[in-house]
Amino acid sequence: MKGLRLLSLLLWLCSLYYVGIYLFVGGFLLVRLEVNRTSTCGDVLQPGDELRDFCHEQPRFRRAVLLIIDALRVDFTRFDHKNVAALPFENKLPVLVEMVTLRPSHSRLYPFRADPPTTTMQRIKGFTTGSLPTFVDVGNNFASSAILEDNLIHQFGTAGKRVVFMGDDTWESLFPKRFHRSLPFPSFNVKDLHTVDNGILQHLYSTMVGDDWDVLVAHFLGVDHCGHRFGPDHPAMADKLTQMDGVIRSVIDRLQNDTLLVVMGDHGMTDSGDHGGESQKETDAALFLYSPSHLFPPQPSQSEPTVVPQTDLVPTLALLLGVPIPYSNLGQVLLPLFPSHGHTVGAVRSLSQLEALWINAKQVNRFLETYSGIAKDIPPESLSQLKDQFSRLSSEYLTTVGGTQTPSPQLAASLQVYLASVRDTCRATWAKFNPLKMAAGLTILAFACLTCFTLSELSRLMIRENVSVLKTPIITALMVGVCVAAVQLLAQGYVEVSWCLAAATLSSELSFLWRTCQSRAITAAKNGSEALKCASWLTPSCLLVPHLLVTLLRCASLLSDSYVIAEGRAVTFLVLSLAICIPIRLNWDGLLSPPIHDPLKAAGLLPSSTLSPSAVRKESCTLLACLGLLVGSVYLSLSFHGCREEQGSCQSSPFLTPLARLQDNQLKNLHYVLSVCSLGLWTYLLRCYLRHYGNLNSSGGTVFTAQCILPMLSVCLGLYWAVSATPEESFRNLAELISLAQLVLPRTAFFLLGLGLLLIWINPLTVFVKTTIARGSSLPPPRYRASTGISPQAELRHLIPQIYQRMRHSLDDGELNKDNEVGSRPAVEAYGLGTVYSAPLLLFCGMLGTGLLLLHPEGMALSFLLMLLQMGALLHIHASSTTLSSLHGTHSGGFNVPWIPVVLWSLAATQFFHATGHLPTFPSIQWNAAFVGFPHGHTSNILPASLVTLNTFASHIMFAVGSPLLLFWPLVCEVRGSRGRVCGEEGEDAVMEMRLRENPQQFSSALLQLSTRYLFILGAQVFASVCAAAILRRHLMVWKVFAPKLMFEASGFLVSSFSVLIGVMLVLRVDVAVGRWFKRLVPDASR
């Protein structure tokens, strides 16, 4: 068997997908590292020699009211009295322009520019932390959706200010337990235009006239929901904006002189009412500032901004309200709100423009130094320039403050330039789509899918090649990658590894495809019709078949947010539909019923069928029974689904609730009994299979694992579930023992799992050999018997007289050289040899599944049992279909696995991803898995992240590792009801999996084809998710639906492809062990 070539092809193929995913994700997902440090009053650098307590000085404003009108686009606030035919969103907020016109020293209206992605959650992070939030904020506590970075809400609370919130409940999840009083309202239903707004209005005015608040935050959602439901050009938008105009007027009437009013939009909206992208209509919101006291110079100065970046609000509010600027802020103070040097505002001594700029610059430089020390994504050249620039400004400012001269205007301008440079550098690093990388990733993934499909259809040709098929692609990739790196080094002085990888990967793909075309042409010239048959795989008739159409339909559906939301049930429907197609097709071809009696066959004029009518009926009944089992397990698996936020009244499965949270003791006991029974049945079924085929008779490591370690592992799980469900307050005397058991039992289970998997890998054979000497017999005994069971019935039924053709000939030669000494020939009985490949693989999957179950809630034991039953049903349906197809010669021959079972296998993996309570959303991640065996936490993120990954993609791992069973199962089940071979040489009994040893080249090509077909389906799903994210990157639901789906699909592919490699390597390991076993078994003289 050409194991090295097979593995190298699979590794190379996986690397193509990995590079494509890496490039697209690098261009699409906006990633930065959170700095979890907090500013304090001592961090603020006070100008001058005298040190003052910054936090306890009288601030410019004692109170602030923040009215956030979600999706308040800047042009919604403009007013033109000449516009007599105004659109529904025009001229509906006249109060803002009136105040700016009539009271210019009290108010200003600015365009308020957000950084993409323009979604509410990211924007709230932006104008509370002052940083540039992205879709993926990598923090230390990956289990929380709360804002971990320093922010205004935290600083207000630390300074003793009472923050009252009302409106969008997103704030509650971002700032849990941070408010003095909170009145959240549900925000998801975009069709509801009034609930949130009316709820705010019921409390807003009464709160303002009271004295139990310092900062009031009100987040209105009606305008945003109206845009999503109707778009801005709709009469409902006019009504909503008119309502907001009245709200602003009422709030202004109730303001006191020491109160600042901020009216703002978090983002804009497109003409269709959507947001999330980076178009100007999406990023440009409105910002209105007002105070009954003088706030601005009477006339706009040169420092008046034309556009206010959203991050600039954070340092401005912090200094005006007398709290430290949040640590990670990158915004710049709004200078018009601060007096020029030497001026005061009334009786309150306010920070001057230069002082505010210096405090701001010092804070930004501190963050830049901290961030650059822990992250390396800011270009070194830019970082060095910024540090030099601040060093010069610091020296100049301290010299100016220490002297008696008036600061020059150039110093303030230089500080502004520095702050803008830092912000621009970080924005360029964190918050920008990279279309070139996205396009490169898409292209590489497209060619990777084509390459994978080519490998699957030409696997026999790839294995037959005398010269390595990867030599040319790898050499080409290295040459192109080096050339691109050299060009980059000469042109820009540094090397971008991502572009070198892109060029190398693309050239490798193209080189492989070109070489494949050449090989096909050469083979066609040599082999004629056989090559033409291999070359016809790209014709429409071969591509437009039901199983591939189902795959294409599912991939196309990934562009629909409705499909992604309801994917769990949709995939269930696809599994059932495709499975039912198998008996329908067989019945259409007349293969489900015994063949009609033909007198020509009876006369011997035509070849007779290899299976008797009773065998055909038995196979048909088996197929239909397994189909019934499949339907039952599929429908029962729906009872374990979770619910997305978008699914409204959906109720998550009660089995997802850990036993420790159940209050009803009877229900808790029922769940525990079901879980333990399911776990016991899981273990029993695995051992029954191994015992039936004689795989529990030897004394190797795999058998020890099946007989001892697997039951012990199951016992550990059952005890751990019992201990973890026990309330400590009920057994106070045993509290320490319970706590110890919660630590020891899962770690013992982890140890047993690792030990069992290691023993299977080291010694995978489950063959028991018994040698006897036949004496005084007139007829020679069978020279080589390989039974699958101990009982005489099983021995007779699964007798394998000739296991290995080459060995038989070697023994024949050896007998002739021994003068026909028949009486002393050895008779070798080998139990379990017929399932030598599938037995260790199935046990490996069983051990792995038991370990993965440990990371799930206890109620998922029944779901895992259904997974095992469905895997068995799919395998038997595939085996029966192959057997029945072989009856009339309709089977393709060889060991190749058709597309339908591979597609079903991949769909089942997705189905049980949902049936184990998982969803492609971050809130659905079962974070408790990170603390199984580690109740006191972790010192790093590697181990908890690994445990959560294993929990999330458990079904992907199980089906990927077990995918080679699709190759073995028809061979295992081919002898049911018949002792004749379904295919092969006439007159020979079935040898089950040993036939793979007789045809190592076909074995290799079939395993390669199976693996590449499975990878192709997974890769096609990733490609479809990538396309959906790229095409719909400005869609309303891109960051809610499509981006999480992309991340889960990409992560699932990484885990699945690695698991496929593990499964293939285990098969190769067994093959090597079988080869060594034969060498030890055959006497030297017989070789």
Side-chain angles (χ1 to χ4, degrees):
M1 187 174 179
K2 299 183 179 180
L4 184 59
R5 173 173 295 185
L6 192 154
L7 272 181
S8 61
L9 283 169
L10 292 178
L11 285 170
W12 172 76
L13 185 61
C14 291
S15 67
L16 302 181
Y17 282 107
Y18 296 161
V19 173
I21 293 171
Y22 165 74
L23 287 171
F24 183 86
V25 168
F28 177 75
L29 295 183
L30 316 174
V31 183
R32 72 175 179 86
L33 186 72
E34 287 186 357
V35 178
N36 294 332
R37 298 191 184 182
T38 304
S39 296
T40 63
C41 298
D43 294 332
V44 179
L45 178 62
Q46 282 296 106
D49 296 329
E50 182 182 356
L51 295 177
R52 302 189 299 271
D53 190 346
F54 178 81
C55 295
H56 290 85
E57 285 189 357
Q58 185 177 0
R60 173 85 176 272
F61 293 99
R62 188 173 65 90
R63 288 179 166 184
V65 177
L66 275 69
L67 299 183
I68 303 162
I69 303 177
D70 205 292
L72 182 64
R73 202 168 71 189
V74 64
D75 56 342
F76 292 0
T77 63
R78 293 170 185 157
F79 185 83
D80 183 5
H81 64 277
K82 297 180 181 179
N83 187 0
V84 294
L87 296 173
F89 58 85
E90 295 177 338
N91 290 356
K92 300 303 185 292
L93 285 171
V95 62
L96 304 181
V97 176
E98 287 176 11
M99 288 296 166
V100 172
T101 304
L102 300 177
R103 309 189 70 181
S105 61
H106 296 259
S107 58
R108 286 288 190 276
L109 178 62
Y110 299 109
F112 196 39
R113 183 158 294 167
D115 295 294
T118 50
T119 55
T120 297
M121 184 181 70
Q122 276 76 19
R123 292 305 95 226
I124 293 175
K125 288 185 177 183
F127 58 69
T128 56
T129 64
S131 189
L132 306 175
T134 63
F135 175 68
V136 182
D137 292 323
V138 184
N140 290 331
N141 185 4
F142 56 84
S144 174
S145 61
I147 293 180
L148 302 178
E149 285 184 300
D150 194 10
N151 56 80
L152 283 175
I153 304 300
H154 172 77
Q155 289 295 340
F156 289 150
T158 303
K161 294 186 178 294
R162 297 161 295 178
V163 182
V164 175
F165 167 75
M166 53 188 72
D168 184 353
D169 59 357
T170 303
W171 288 73
E172 271 294 313
S173 60
L174 295 178
F175 305 101
K177 301 180 181 179
R178 293 287 187 180
F179 299 112
H180 177 69
R181 192 167 79 252
S182 177
L183 298 169
F185 300 94
S187 61
F188 177 73
N189 186 7
V190 296
K191 294 184 179 181
D192 184 359
L193 309 184
H194 307 294
T195 298
V196 176
D197 294 0
N198 293 341
I200 293 174
L201 295 179
Q202 290 178 2
H203 305 277
L204 177 62
Y205 306 131
S206 59
T207 301
M208 288 189 64
V209 298
D211 196 35
D212 63 340
W213 64 277
D214 297 301
V215 178
L216 175 59
V217 180
H219 192 148
F220 294 88
L221 285 176
V223 173
D224 179 67
H225 285 188
C226 184
H228 291 316
R229 185 174 181 182
F230 302 112
D233 194 5
H234 192 275
M237 183 63 76
D239 296 339
K240 263 296 152 192
L241 291 175
T242 301
Q243 181 188 30
M244 292 299 101
D245 183 79
V247 170
I248 296 172
R249 291 181 186 274
S250 299
V251 170
I252 288 176
D253 293 340
R254 291 171 171 80
L255 290 178
Q256 298 179 5
N257 288 337
D258 60 351
T259 305
L260 173 68
L261 172 64
V262 180
V263 180
M264 56 181 283
D266 56 344
H267 52 74
M269 67 172 65
T270 63
D271 293 335
S272 61
D274 296 327
H275 57 88
E278 51 186 337
S279 66
Q280 188 170 351
K281 288 186 177 182
E282 294 170 277
T283 58
D284 282 6
L287 173 66
F288 175 73
L289 301 170
Y290 174 83
S291 176
S293 60
H294 286 278
L295 187 60
F296 295 95
Q299 297 297 327
S301 61
Q302 293 182 351
S303 61
E304 199 79 26
T306 56
V307 175
V308 176
Q310 204 171 77
T311 53
D312 290 2
L313 182 65
V314 174
T316 303
L317 286 180
L319 296 184
L320 289 177
L321 294 173
V323 298
I325 301 174
Y327 197 95
S328 300
N329 164 71
L330 291 173
Q332 179 183 146
V333 290
L334 287 172
L335 290 187
L337 288 164
F338 298 89
S340 57
H341 188 74
H343 293 77
T344 59
V345 181
V348 180
R349 194 273 177 191
S350 301
L351 293 173
S352 67
Q353 293 182 354
L354 187 60
E355 291 171 333
L357 279 173
W358 170 250
I359 295 173
N360 192 183
K362 181 68 176 176
Q363 170 266 319
V364 168
N365 179 71
R366 180 187 59 193
F367 165 76
L368 191 64
E369 290 180 346
T370 304
Y371 183 84
S372 61
I374 60 177
K376 307 299 180 183
D377 51 357
I378 299 179
E381 299 82 3
S382 302
L383 191 62
S384 178
Q385 292 176 2
L386 292 173
K387 288 182 178 180
D388 294 342
Q389 188 177 358
F390 179 78
S391 179
R392 293 194 304 270
L393 292 173
S394 177
S395 176
E396 183 178 352
Y397 177 80
L398 294 177
T399 302
T400 301
V401 171
T404 57
Q405 58 183 4
T406 303
S408 64
Q410 288 76 15
L411 179 56
S414 298
L415 287 170
Q416 286 181 288
V417 170
Y418 168 75
L419 291 169
S421 299
V422 175
R423 183 180 58 222
D424 292 342
T425 299
C426 293
R427 178 184 291 117
T429 304
W430 298 333
K432 184 180 179 182
F433 293 117
N434 191 325
L436 290 178
K437 276 191 175 182
M438 292 168 64
L442 274 168
T443 304
I444 290 173
L445 284 174
F447 278 105
C449 290
L450 179 59
T451 303
C452 190
F453 189 80
T454 303
L455 265 175
S456 70
E457 297 304 308
L458 302 178
S459 58
R460 185 173 300 182
L461 181 63
M462 297 296 119
I463 295 297
R464 281 180 182 174
E465 287 284 341
N466 295 325
V467 182
S468 175
V469 293
L470 292 181
K471 184 178 180 180
T472 302
I474 291 177
I475 292 176
T476 304
L478 291 175
M479 292 177 60
V480 172
V482 170
C483 290
V484 171
V487 170
Q488 287 182 338
L489 196 60
L490 293 175
Q492 55 193 22
Y494 61 93
V495 175
E496 291 187 59
V497 178
S498 58
W499 291 115
C500 297
L501 282 175
T505 304
L506 188 58
S507 63
S508 182
E509 291 172 334
L510 295 176
S511 174
F512 174 82
L513 293 173
W514 175 258
R515 192 181 186 285
T516 301
C517 292
Q518 287 183 326
S519 299
R520 282 174 51 202
I522 295 173
T523 306
K526 291 182 178 179
N527 300 333
S529 60
E530 181 183 354
L532 291 176
K533 183 178 179 181
C534 294
S536 63
W537 53 273
L538 276 178
T539 58
S541 60
C542 293
L543 296 178
L544 300 179
V545 289
H547 39 273
L548 288 184
L549 285 177
V550 168
T551 302
L552 295 176
L553 176 64
R554 179 171 179 245
C555 291
S557 300
L558 290 174
L559 278 80
S560 166
D561 58 335
S562 300
Y563 172 84
V564 175
I565 291 171
E567 185 182 31
R569 293 185 175 270
V571 169
T572 300
F573 169 77
L574 292 177
V575 169
L576 290 178
S577 301
L578 197 56
I580 292 174
C581 284
I582 295 176
I584 292 176
R585 178 181 59 82
L586 292 173
N587 187 62
W588 181 269
D589 294 335
L591 301 179
L592 279 183
S593 57
I596 300 175
H597 178 73
D598 193 336
L600 294 177
K601 289 184 178 181
L605 300 179
L606 291 177
S608 60
S609 301
T610 55
L611 287 183
S612 64
S614 61
V616 174
R617 282 191 292 268
K618 187 173 182 180
E619 288 296 331
S620 301
C621 292
T622 301
L623 188 147
L624 295 178
C626 290
L627 183 62
L629 177 62
L630 175 67
V631 172
S633 62
V634 164
Y635 275 106
L636 286 176
S637 70
L638 293 174
S639 305
F640 300 90
H641 282 215
C643 291
R644 293 178 63 109
E645 180 184 3
E646 299 90 343
Q647 290 176 310
S649 59
C650 172
Q651 294 291 330
S652 295
S653 170
F655 292 99
L656 289 171
T657 305
L659 294 180
R661 297 182 185 177
L662 295 178
Q663 301 299 321
D664 188 341
N665 288 330
Q666 290 185 348
L667 183 61
K668 181 186 293 187
N669 293 335
L670 177 61
H671 281 205
Y672 179 76
V673 171
L674 283 175
S675 300
V676 172
C677 290
S678 299
L679 179 60
L681 191 55
W682 167 285
T683 306
Y684 174 76
L685 290 176
L686 289 172
R687 287 170 54 87
C688 272
Y689 169 86
L690 297 174
R691 184 182 297 111
H692 175 71
Y693 287 103
N695 297 112
L696 294 182
N697 301 316
S698 68
S699 57
T702 301
V703 176
F704 177 77
T705 299
Q707 290 183 336
C708 299
I709 296 182
L710 180 60
M712 291 170 60
L713 180 60
S714 300
V715 170
C716 281
L717 259 70
L719 292 175
Y720 173 68
W721 291 341
V723 169
S724 61
T726 303
E728 294 185 5
E729 58 272 12
S730 302
F731 300 91
R732 297 186 181 276
N733 296 332
L734 302 176
E736 293 184 2
L737 182 61
I738 292 174
S739 178
L740 180 63
Q742 290 178 347
L743 180 70
V744 172
L745 285 174
R747 292 192 179 185
T748 303
F750 288 143
F751 171 77
L752 291 174
L753 175 64
L755 177 62
L757 296 180
L758 182 62
L759 289 176
I760 295 174
W761 192 272
I762 293 175
N763 186 9
L765 289 186
T766 56
V767 180
F768 174 66
V769 180
K770 184 171 70 173
T771 304
T772 60
I773 300 297
R775 299 179 181 275
S777 177
S778 59
L779 294 176
R783 291 171 305 202
Y784 201 101
R785 295 191 299 159
S787 291
T788 59
I790 297 178
S791 64
Q793 294 82 2
E795 246 187 280
L796 292 173
R797 189 169 143 205
H798 299 293
L799 190 64
I800 304 176
Q802 297 170 348
I803 300 178
Y804 196 48
Q805 299 298 330
R806 185 174 302 173
M807 178 186 301
R808 182 189 62 182
H809 296 308
S810 299
L811 289 173
D812 289 341
D813 295 339
E815 293 161 12
L816 294 176
N817 294 331
K818 290 191 176 183
D819 299 326
N820 296 323
E821 295 178 4
V822 176
S824 61
R825 289 182 303 171
V828 180
E829 295 178 0
Y831 295 93
L833 196 58
T835 53
V836 68
Y837 291 101
S838 58
L841 182 60
L842 186 64
L843 181 59
F844 192 91
C845 291
M847 289 288 296
L848 203 56
T850 309
L852 293 172
L853 177 58
L854 176 63
L855 303 176
H856 284 76
E858 301 88 342
M860 289 297 103
L862 184 55
S863 178
F864 270 69
L865 177 62
L866 292 175
M867 184 195 304
L868 181 65
L869 294 176
Q870 185 164 328
M871 291 175 74
L874 288 174
L875 290 171
H876 277 83
I877 290 173
H878 167 48
S880 296
S881 173
T882 303
T883 301
L884 291 170
S885 298
S886 302
L887 174 65
H888 286 216
T890 58
H891 184 60
S892 59
F895 309 118
N896 296 341
V897 180
W899 275 102
I900 289 184
V902 181
V903 174
L904 277 171
W905 202 255
S906 65
L907 289 175
T910 303
Q911 173 208 339
F912 274 96
F913 171 78
H914 293 271
T916 49
H918 298 290
L919 294 166
T921 61
F922 293 109
S924 69
I925 294 177
Q926 299 174 7
W927 300 107
N928 289 334
F931 304 101
V932 174
F934 302 91
H936 305 300
H938 302 268
T939 57
S940 69
N941 286 340
I942 297 177
L943 182 57
S946 301
L947 293 175
V948 171
T949 301
L950 292 173
N951 166 276
T952 304
F953 300 105
S955 64
H956 294 72
I957 296 171
M958 289 289 293
F959 281 91
V961 172
S963 58
L965 291 173
L966 291 170
L967 173 60
F968 303 135
W969 217 258
L971 301 174
V972 173
C973 301
E974 68 178 1
V975 295
R976 290 196 308 269
S978 171
R979 296 183 60 179
R981 292 184 65 164
V982 174
C983 57
E985 299 180 11
E986 295 184 1
E988 292 187 359
D989 288 338
V991 294
M992 300 172 72
E993 293 176 7
M994 275 297 96
R995 188 174 308 129
L996 297 170
R997 292 286 304 177
E998 299 175 3
N999 302 279
Q1001 187 165 287
Q1002 289 188 24
F1003 185 13
S1004 300
S1005 64
L1007 190 57
L1008 175 62
Q1009 183 183 67
L1010 172 62
S1011 303
T1012 49
R1013 283 182 172 179
Y1014 193 75
L1015 289 174
F1016 169 76
I1017 296 171
L1018 299 177
Q1021 294 171 192
V1022 174
F1023 179 69
S1025 299
V1026 164
C1027 290
I1031 296 171
L1032 303 173
R1033 63 185 181 275
R1034 290 183 175 87
H1035 191 275
L1036 162 68
M1037 306 299 285
V1038 63
W1039 302 110
K1040 187 78 172 178
V1041 174
F1042 296 110
K1045 178 61 176 174
L1046 166 64
M1047 294 192 67
F1048 276 82
E1049 283 289 348
S1051 302
F1053 178 85
L1054 296 177
V1055 174
S1056 298
S1057 59
F1058 182 73
S1059 302
V1060 167
L1061 292 174
I1062 291 178
V1064 171
M1065 286 191 292
L1066 181 58
V1067 172
L1068 298 178
R1069 175 72 186 92
V1070 175
D1071 189 68
V1072 171
V1074 171
R1076 291 176 179 174
W1077 180 79
F1078 275 119
K1079 288 182 180 179
R1080 292 195 304 268
L1081 187 67
V1082 180
D1084 294 337
S1086 299
R1087 295 181 195 170

